[in-house]
Amino acid sequence: MIAEKVFNPKLAPDFQVILDATSDLIWAFDKDYQLAYCNTSFKSNFELFLHEKINAEKNLDEYDGLKRFEELSEKWSEWYRKAFAGEQFIDKAEYKISGKTLYYSLEFKPVIRMNEVTYVQVSAREETIKHSYEELQKQSANCEECELKLNEDKDDIIKERDDAIALLMENAERLQMVFEGSNDGFWDWNLEKNDIFHSRNFYEILGFRNGELKSDVETWKSRIHPDDVDRVTKALNDHLEGKTDKYDCEYRILTKTEKWKWVLDKGKVAIRNAKNKPIRIAGTLSDITERKEAESKLLESEKQFYEITSVLAEGLFVIDNNWNLKFANPEFEHLLGYSKEDIQNKNIHDIIHRHENSADHVCPLAKVLVEGEVLRISQDYYSKKDGDYLPVSYVSSPIKRNGVITGCVTAFHDISERLQAEEELARFVEELQYNKELVEENANQFVELNQQLEESQTRLEDLNASKDKFFSIISHDLRSPFTSIIGFSEVMLEDIDTLSKEDIKDFTTSIYKSSKNIQNLLENLLQWSRVQTGSIEFNPHSFVLNNVVNDILALFQVSAARQKINLYTDLEDPFTIYADQFMIDTIIRNLVSNSIKFTKAGGEIKISASKIENDLEVTIADTGVGMSEEIKNKLFKIDEHVTTRGTEKEKGTGLGLILCKEFVEKHEGKIWVESTLGQGSQFKFIIPLKNNR
């Protein structure tokens, strides 16, 4: 392949459409045989003859199928040289395939850029049918003229002959004058005397001088061609016996030079006796050799024409300028189902080119008959005898005599397989495109799934690591209270008799607090595990937030009062929301519990709520110990261990906040804390109000 081209022509879309609309083969190539452009006719014929698909990566001289055209290689080299020398020309080419010769006319047009031929465009037109028809015309032209002349002379001669016979009956002298002035020979047979008279012209037709040949029936019969003598004898006897009105026969007769000559022998019984037996018969002998030779040539040419058209794989028919069909080859009958009797001398448009719902349809052949143009139709429909429509493509060319259009010849072929192949190809391409899109879509899905799988695996690994750490923390937090309970219980068990009431009260209080911590931890752990396993369903409905807050205040009022903490809410008007009531209750209850744990005596805890745009914001604010930035950053994280102790040295696990975060996110909300060490904390969460009823 050539890596760089000086000029690479690009066809405009409209120009390509025009090229594809013609049945001529059009292509262009540069000096290295790289294909610049081509139309669909060239592509289909190229692939048909070479049995190879056109490949954009190949030059035209690199296809193996070109070996079939070696007989044209020398001629092609000359065309190549002339075209790239800047010469524009037209030449002919013949190619034999399957015993049939195809004829093409090729036009070479060099395209010059900067004084150099950059590429050559070739247009090829198949002229096989045109060539065959022109040859047939050449053979039959002279025969047609001779026949016309003979037919014109024949009428005059017959008239003169009949007049001469009538004059013979009336006046011998006048009849003799007619004989001498006519080219026909005259004979008069007297059957009673068996005497035959032959005129001078009769002998001259056979090449004899007057009287040189014996005038009798046997001599006459002896010179008739053996293949004709029985037929001639029967025709004469039938007339003599009264079976026919006249004797009229064409036959071959031997001349003096031993050559056969065609004659027309005509006669009529002039006199019969009372018993209706013939007494005298007279007639004429005309030389029709030239006419017979012309007819023979015409028949031979018609036979050749029929033989040529009978082997064509295309239907062929000829019509006159009145649309009447004059000839149709066997393939016409095979494709359309009409016999000769169905179509001979009938209007072809009314038979094969009628269309449903189109009574005023103009037949394309009208353009040929009227304007004399060669017509090429790539797709049309002919009506078959059975009523079906046959898809065809055809070429029609005018027939001219002395510059006058006398008819047209049309060659057509069935394109059903082509249309079916095009439909199948279109379906195949569509299926390929669909499969391609499906594969691409699946590939994209596989990529996405793989990416999601990798992300899920990463999250799962992180989550497993976090849970491992979380369970380690939980196990440690569970162990500490149990250690205290077991330790205090063991002391009480061993020293119960020696312990004072104050000691027993202190030990019992410690055991109670440790048990309470374990209970809270286990409750939160149970709730969290139910969330993780999906045991807790998200069940939103409308309810009054004030009622939930009031229930929580009542639950923690004793505990808060014991620690001298003011627990209250500023909610006054009913606040109806659409959410999961159990989860909202759990969130607020955990946050209030945490606030009580980290608020000193004399402090206060306030529960409030407000609507901010499309969100509900709930705040649990306390005046407790607050927290540092380090502690704030560890909250709500399962893999972080918060070690801050409450005002009564209680130790928390952070599991309650993790549970709060899970429930808030179920509502598509978020939770956070605002706090300053020593100044209290504000735990806030928001949930969308988009589903509020």
Side-chain angles (χ1 to χ4, degrees), residues 50 82 348 585 663 672:
L50 269 66
K82 290 170 62 177
I348 196 68
D585 178 86
F663 284 169
W672 72 98

Side-chain angles (χ1 to χ4, degrees), residues 235-249:
L236 178 60
N237 290 335
D238 285 347
H239 179 60
L240 293 176
E241 293 171 6
K243 296 179 180 179
T244 58
D245 293 336
K246 61 182 178 179
Y247 162 66
D248 189 340
C249 196

Side-chain angles (χ1 to χ4, degrees), residues 320-551:
D320 60 20
N321 54 5
N322 292 320
W323 299 83
N324 296 324
L325 188 127
K326 296 300 180 182
F327 171 82
N329 72 337
E331 191 65 14
F332 180 101
E333 179 178 349
H334 172 71
L335 291 174
L336 300 179
Y338 297 102
S339 64
K340 290 183 179 180
E341 292 73 19
D342 294 330
I343 56 178
Q344 194 69 28
N345 291 319
K346 293 183 180 178
N347 189 303
I348 196 68
H349 177 71
D350 295 339
I351 297 175
I352 69 169
H353 212 269
R354 63 180 186 271
H355 289 259
E356 290 183 346
N357 304 322
S358 186
D360 58 345
H361 177 75
V362 178
C363 180
L365 298 185
K367 194 171 185 179
V368 182
L369 293 174
V370 176
E371 301 179 12
E373 295 184 5
V374 175
L375 181 68
R376 298 177 184 275
I377 301 296
S378 60
Q379 183 176 338
D380 202 345
Y381 292 87
Y382 281 172
S383 177
K384 298 171 65 176
K385 186 176 181 178
D386 60 10
D388 288 339
Y389 288 93
L390 179 72
V392 297
S393 68
Y394 57 89
V395 178
S396 185
S397 181
I399 300 173
K400 296 182 179 180
R401 292 288 182 270
N402 299 321
V404 178
I405 300 173
T406 60
C408 71
V409 56
T410 302
F412 67 94
H413 65 274
D414 182 2
I415 60 172
S416 300
E417 292 184 358
R418 189 195 83 189
L419 295 180
Q420 184 178 359
E422 290 175 353
E423 291 177 359
E424 292 177 355
L425 179 61
R427 285 197 299 269
F428 180 68
V429 170
E430 185 177 353
E431 289 177 1
L432 284 180
Q433 183 63 31
Y434 173 77
N435 290 335
K436 176 187 175 185
E437 293 174 356
L438 187 61
V439 169
E440 290 177 350
E441 182 179 348
N442 289 338
N444 292 333
Q445 290 178 353
F446 288 149
V447 171
E448 292 177 1
L449 288 174
N450 188 49
Q451 185 177 355
Q452 292 174 3
L453 185 60
E454 291 178 354
E455 293 175 354
S456 297
Q457 183 177 0
T458 301
R459 288 196 302 268
L460 184 60
E461 291 174 352
D462 294 341
L463 184 59
N464 285 335
S466 299
K467 287 184 178 180
D468 289 343
K469 185 175 181 180
F470 172 72
F471 286 131
S472 175
I473 296 170
I474 293 299
S475 64
H476 178 271
D477 288 342
L478 282 173
R479 189 186 305 115
S480 295
F482 276 117
T483 300
S484 298
I485 292 173
I486 292 172
F488 285 121
S489 299
E490 186 178 1
V491 171
M492 288 178 65
L493 183 62
E494 292 177 353
D495 301 329
I496 188 65
D497 295 330
T498 61
L499 292 176
S500 65
K501 289 185 179 182
E502 289 298 325
D503 292 334
I504 293 173
K505 183 179 180 180
D506 290 340
F507 288 159
T508 304
T509 301
S510 296
I511 291 173
Y512 170 77
K513 290 182 178 179
S514 296
S515 300
K516 195 64 177 178
N517 288 337
I518 292 173
Q519 181 187 17
N520 292 335
L521 177 60
L522 290 176
E523 285 182 358
N524 287 334
L525 185 60
L526 177 62
Q527 295 292 347
W528 179 81
S529 65
R530 290 177 64 194
V531 171
Q532 298 303 307
T533 58
S535 299
I536 297 179
E537 294 183 358
F538 181 64
N539 186 23
H541 62 278
S542 296
F543 63 92
V544 178
L545 180 63
N546 307 56
N547 296 335
V548 172
V549 172
N550 290 334
D551 289 342

Side-chain angles (χ1 to χ4, degrees), residues 181-321:
S182 172
N183 291 326
D184 290 347
F186 172 75
W187 54 269
D188 182 8
W189 182 13
N190 188 326
L191 282 82
E192 285 185 331
K193 298 179 180 180
N194 197 23
D195 180 32
I196 299 178
F197 166 77
H198 293 118
S199 69
R200 183 180 64 189
N201 288 348
F202 185 97
Y203 291 109
E204 289 179 352
I205 288 173
L206 302 182
F208 294 96
R209 293 195 300 273
N210 191 16
E212 187 176 358
L213 187 66
K214 187 177 180 179
S215 295
D216 58 29
V217 174
E218 295 304 322
T219 301
W220 168 65
K221 284 185 177 182
S222 68
R223 305 195 75 81
I224 298 175
H225 195 283
D227 294 341
D228 299 337
V229 64
D230 291 340
R231 176 172 54 82
V232 175
T233 301
K234 182 179 183 304
L236 178 60
N237 290 335
D238 285 347
H239 179 60
L240 293 176
E241 293 171 6
K243 296 179 180 179
T244 58
D245 293 336
K246 61 182 178 179
Y247 162 66
D248 189 340
C249 196
E250 294 180 355
Y251 58 89
R252 288 161 289 181
I253 193 166
L254 191 63
T255 66
K256 184 178 180 179
T257 58
E258 300 296 323
K259 292 182 179 180
W260 295 104
K261 181 174 285 190
W262 276 97
V263 294
L264 171 62
D265 199 1
K266 300 177 69 173
K268 189 176 179 66
V269 173
I271 302 174
R272 294 181 182 271
N273 62 16
K275 296 181 179 181
N276 203 33
K277 288 186 177 182
I279 296 175
R280 196 165 185 172
I281 181 173
T284 60
L285 187 75
S286 304
D287 183 359
I288 60 172
T289 303
E290 290 185 358
R291 194 196 81 191
K292 279 293 186 179
E293 289 176 350
E295 289 177 352
S296 177
K297 290 180 180 179
L298 182 59
L299 288 174
E300 182 63 26
S301 65
E302 289 178 350
K303 181 181 178 182
Q304 291 177 355
F305 180 70
Y306 185 82
E307 289 175 349
I308 291 172
T309 59
S310 65
V311 299
L312 292 177
E314 297 179 324
L316 190 79
F317 63 91
V318 178
I319 62 173
D320 60 20
N321 54 5

Side-chain angles (χ1 to χ4, degrees), residues 1 13 30 39-40 78 135 197 225 227 301 442 501 509 530 564 571 576 592 597 627 635 659 663:
M1 296 294 292
D30 61 14
N39 66 351
T40 53
E78 177 62 19
E135 290 296 317
F197 166 77
H225 195 283
D227 294 341
S301 65
N442 289 338
K501 289 185 179 182
T509 301
R530 290 177 64 194
K564 299 180 181 181
L571 293 177
T576 302
V592 170
K597 187 187 298 181
M627 64 190 77
L635 297 181
L659 186 61
F663 284 169

Side-chain angles (χ1 to χ4, degrees), residues 660-679:
C660 290
K661 180 174 181 292
E662 295 274 0
F663 284 169
V664 169
E665 289 178 349
K666 284 284 187 180
H667 288 80
E668 299 180 1
K670 66 178 181 177
I671 186 170
W672 72 98
V673 61
E674 298 174 359
S675 179
T676 302
L677 189 62
Q679 297 183 11

